[in-house]
Amino acid sequence: MSQQSFIVSGVPWFDDRGRTVNAHGGCIVEENGLYYLFGEYKTDEENRFAGFSCYSSPDLAHWTFRRIVLPQQKDGLMGPGRIGERVKVMRCPTTGQYVMFMHSDDLGYYDPHICYAVCDTIDGDYEFRGPLTFHGESVHRWDLGVFQDDDGTGYLLVHEGDIYRLSDDYLSVAEQVGEGIALGGEAPAVAKLGGRYWMLFSGKTSWDCNDNYCLSAPTMRGPWTYQGLFAPEGSMTCNSQTLYVLPVRTAHGEIAMYMGDRWSFPHQASAATYVWQQLSVDHGRLRLAEYQPSWSPISGKAEPFEGRHVDVGFWSDKAGESVSIPFHGSRVALTGKADQWGSYARVGIRGAGMSEESAMVVDPIFVSWYAKSPDAGYRYVSPELPEDDYVLTVTVTGEVPQWTDKSGQRFGSVGSMVDVDEAIVAQ
């Protein structure tokens, strides 16, 4: 049984090239039997716009890299020295065009614009058009979401809870239909469930996570009612920040899939991960009631990573210390505890009996053991490999992942610990 058929939250995912799926802050568009994942193509070195990526999948588990659909521009709002975030794509029903929305900013986050690009094909080269306008003026906002209603009406959602109805061609704002419904909120997303509209928000804690919350309304124009937290209090929304809600058809009916980002500053390219979980409406309240570390999008049911369990018991905060785990199989997972003392390790796989870096079959990537809310579970799941003899190596970096926001407030870890409990080897 292939574990790659399952969604495993909080671990790096690998695409058809064996590289980490690098598509954060984005969305999914379903078309012609494929799911298209758009996101920020991050680097492990610095926070800057390097492009927006697109991946496709038939099952939300096997991901194929399509291309960088919008690269860094030569100059201007999406040029060098700029931020590019929160990419969202919708197909406009009146024109057939795909319209991409994004947050552009300077590196200090003092020059926000909502911008857009267009393309005739879902995974083609998008043409950057510049800032989105409302009454002829640029929309100077940052964290954004989008929502397409059943009748094709498109909405732009921004921080603080402002809601804008887009024009029929999605290329400008027609009117503002909501204002300040979530003061202090960011990362908005909307789902339509149980005959009501639900808007999800995160608090503002920089790259760190927090307990996200939601509001509901009978229409997108409101009135919006605060409904409190939708995940268990103290879980920090499963250590993630709300991103998008996707309807998914399973063998047991349609579910609403919460999509969240588990950011990992500064190593966002390989160590930032995804938290995809099921939402439901229970007694009139939106709930992410039970965290499923691994589940099947086909059945909608929880499925563990199955294999032979190997005790590792490695625990260290000393830079350069490592543990090597020989195994015979086609895939391997690591479990361990992540908490506020956690840090980064470099994790890679080489062929057994080979020590040269050129013999690596899975290049070392940064993997995070930091979690604001303590979590014991999967930390790493390798890509599928030909069944053979391998050695997995975990090396402590000694780096303390911490940062400050532009107000000077400190966030992140207080240590450099890496804790590996066991390896699970699949044949």
Side-chain angles (χ1 to χ4, degrees):
M1 180 165 50
S2 172
Q3 190 68 22
Q4 189 69 26
S5 298
F6 307 146
I7 294 171
V8 185
S9 290
V11 302
W13 297 344
F14 294 90
D15 66 14
D16 60 311
R17 307 167 300 169
R19 302 179 186 176
T20 51
V21 174
N22 193 349
H24 299 281
C27 69
I28 287 180
V29 178
E30 185 182 4
E31 183 173 283
N32 297 326
L34 287 177
Y35 296 99
Y36 290 87
L37 170 65
F38 296 87
E40 304 164 20
Y41 198 76
K42 293 292 193 181
T43 75
D44 270 333
E45 290 74 41
E46 59 182 338
N47 183 38
R48 59 173 176 80
F49 177 59
F52 293 136
S53 55
C54 178
Y55 297 79
S56 66
S57 172
D59 58 5
L60 297 172
H62 297 82
W63 291 101
T64 297
F65 177 72
R66 308 295 286 207
R67 67 173 69 205
I68 300 297
V69 286
L70 185 73
Q72 183 187 87
Q73 305 294 287
K74 292 181 180 179
D75 52 32
L77 291 176
M78 301 305 291
R82 298 287 295 183
I83 297 292
E85 296 177 338
R86 299 286 169 182
V87 56
K88 301 291 185 289
V89 174
M90 293 189 294
R91 183 181 182 274
C92 178
T94 60
T95 66
Q97 269 192 325
Y98 297 89
V99 185
M100 172 186 289
F101 301 90
M102 69 210 73
H103 163 216
S104 164
D105 220 319
D106 62 19
L107 297 181
Y109 290 92
Y110 291 106
D111 185 35
H113 294 265
I114 303 297
C115 297
Y116 74 101
V118 298
C119 191
D120 290 333
T121 57
I122 191 168
D123 60 347
D125 293 318
Y126 281 71
E127 176 191 352
F128 181 67
R129 291 283 184 86
L132 191 73
T133 60
F134 181 37
H135 296 325
E137 299 291 330
S138 178
V139 180
H140 292 287
R141 298 291 188 272
W142 47 93
D143 266 21
L144 70 98
V146 298
F147 175 69
Q148 187 176 67
D149 212 340
D150 297 336
D151 62 359
T153 302
Y155 294 92
L156 171 72
L157 327 165
V158 297
H159 63 98
E160 310 291 340
D162 289 358
I163 307 170
Y164 299 95
R165 181 177 64 82
L166 297 170
S167 59
D168 288 345
D169 60 8
Y170 287 10
L171 304 184
S172 63
V173 171
E175 66 171 326
Q176 184 169 1
V177 299
E179 182 175 6
I181 69 166
L183 297 179
E186 64 178 11
V190 164
K192 190 175 183 180
L193 299 168
R196 291 183 67 84
Y197 296 83
W198 301 86
M199 191 174 297
L200 287 59
F201 284 96
S202 161
K204 296 178 181 178
T205 50
S206 186
W207 298 110
D208 243 344
C209 50
N210 53 67
D211 283 330
N212 292 192
Y213 59 94
C214 64
L215 301 93
S216 70
T219 74
M220 285 297 290
R221 295 176 180 270
W224 291 92
T225 303
Y226 178 74
Q227 298 286 0
L229 308 184
F230 58 87
E233 185 174 4
S235 74
M236 303 297 148
T237 324
C238 308
N239 283 309
S240 73
Q241 183 186 43
T242 185
L243 165 66
Y244 197 72
V245 179
L246 178 73
V248 176
R249 291 179 297 277
T250 75
H252 300 283
E254 185 173 276
I255 63 171
M257 186 176 79
Y258 164 86
M259 296 171 58
D261 274 307
R262 188 173 288 180
W263 300 107
S264 187
F265 189 84
H267 301 307
Q268 304 277 31
S270 57
T273 60
Y274 312 90
V275 173
W276 291 4
Q277 297 289 311
Q278 297 179 35
L279 289 169
S280 61
V281 176
D282 183 22
H283 294 93
R285 302 292 296 274
L286 187 68
R287 289 286 182 264
L288 194 168
E290 182 180 1
Y291 178 74
Q292 297 178 337
S294 178
W295 62 283
S296 167
I298 297 172
S299 68
K301 303 296 184 180
E303 295 284 356
F305 188 103
E306 295 184 348
R308 179 172 56 91
H309 290 241
V310 179
D311 182 63
V312 177
F314 177 76
W315 191 77
S316 175
D317 61 356
K318 295 179 175 59
E321 282 199 348
S322 66
V323 60
S324 294
I325 306 164
F327 69 94
H328 177 91
S330 61
R331 207 163 187 213
V332 62
L334 295 176
T335 66
K337 182 181 179 181
D339 57 27
Q340 62 182 326
W341 291 276
S343 180
Y344 293 110
R346 294 281 280 174
V347 179
I349 300 175
R350 58 179 169 82
M354 300 179 182
S355 59
E356 298 298 323
E357 195 158 317
S358 59
M360 299 298 294
V361 294
V362 180
D363 290 334
I365 62 171
F366 289 101
V367 176
S368 177
W369 265 260
Y370 167 69
K372 192 172 182 180
S373 176
D375 171 65
Y378 300 118
R379 305 267 72 88
Y380 174 86
V381 177
S382 77
E384 295 178 16
L385 303 168
E387 185 174 341
D388 207 338
D389 294 320
Y390 301 98
V391 177
L392 179 148
T393 301
V394 181
T395 304
V396 179
T397 68
E399 180 179 3
V400 179
Q402 55 183 273
W403 64 97
T404 58
D405 63 13
K406 62 184 180 182
S407 72
Q409 185 175 355
R410 183 195 172 282
F411 296 90
S413 179
V414 294
S416 57
M417 189 62 64
V418 171
D419 182 342
V420 183
D421 180 24
E422 64 178 10
I424 308 172
V425 179
Q427 297 301 117

